[in-house]
Amino acid sequence: MIIEATESDFDALLSGIAPRRLRLVPDSPIAAADVLQMLADLANGVRAHFSPSAWMIVEGGEIVGLCSVVRIPEGGELHIGYGVAPARQGMGAATRAVGLLLAEAQRDTRISAVSAETSIDNIASQRVLERNGFQRIGERVDAQDGLVICWKAVTA
C-alpha cells in the first residue's frame, strides 16, 4: 500500500522513528540520511503547489520505501521517483507501489501522464516501470546520474 507522507512523517523518519504506528525495516534504512532530507525538502517544496507530493511504501505494517513527485507537475505530467530499502528489494514492493500510484493518477483529473527516469544500469527499476505499462520514450544524460532512460505512462 502507499500512504501519503506528510511533513511530520518525514520528521519522524529523519529522527529514525517510524510514524503512524508503522515499523521500519530493521538494519536497512529506506535511504541515507542526506537523501531522506533531500526527499523531505523536495516533498515540502512540491506540496506548496501540488499534493500529494510523497508516499510511504508500506507492506505488512512496515515502511519499506518511498515514492515521491520529483518536480512540480507541468502540462498534466507527474514525474516520480521511488526507492525501496535494500533488505526489501526484489520482493515486488516497488512494482505494487507504482501500480497504486498510477491508479491514483488515473482518478486525478489534473494528471494526464506519469513519467520517470531510470539509470541505464538499473534493470530492476526498468522492470518495475515495464510491468506497470510505462513506455520507454528516450534517453538523456543527467549531470548526477549519467545516462538515464526516460519513461512515460498515459493516464488520461
Side-chain angles (χ1 to χ4, degrees):
M1 100 175 62
I2 55 174
I3 300 172
E4 182 177 354
T6 65
E7 186 172 356
S8 62
D9 294 330
F10 275 109
D11 289 344
L13 291 169
L14 284 161
S15 298
I17 300 167
R20 304 186 195 202
R21 299 184 186 185
L22 298 167
R23 297 182 317 278
L24 295 175
V25 176
D27 302 320
S28 185
I30 297 168
D34 61 328
V35 173
L36 195 54
Q37 183 64 61
M38 181 271 303
L39 292 172
D41 294 343
L42 177 65
N44 286 335
V46 171
R47 191 178 296 114
H49 305 278
F50 184 88
S51 186
S53 60
W55 300 263
M56 295 179 287
I57 303 171
V58 178
E59 303 246 321
E62 184 177 69
I63 303 168
V64 300
L66 295 168
C67 183
S68 64
V69 177
V70 175
R71 59 179 172 253
I72 298 166
E74 292 182 13
E77 185 171 312
L78 186 71
H79 191 76
I80 63 165
Y82 51 89
V84 173
R88 298 298 183 262
Q89 291 177 353
M91 299 177 180
T95 299
R96 288 186 289 277
V98 170
L100 291 169
L101 184 60
L102 272 176
E104 283 191 20
Q106 289 170 339
R107 292 186 295 271
D108 190 329
T109 58
R110 301 173 296 172
I111 302 169
S112 58
V114 177
S115 61
E117 294 176 346
T118 61
S119 164
I120 197 80
D121 299 323
N122 191 341
I123 304 302
S125 193
Q126 293 168 32
R127 297 297 171 259
V128 165
L129 298 174
E130 288 172 343
R131 288 182 187 120
N132 280 291
F134 281 73
Q135 300 296 311
R136 185 177 176 155
I137 59 168
E139 296 177 351
R140 71 175 190 85
V141 176
D142 182 82
Q144 293 177 329
D145 298 324
L147 187 60
V148 296
I149 301 171
C150 304
W151 301 85
K152 186 182 279 191
V154 176
T155 59

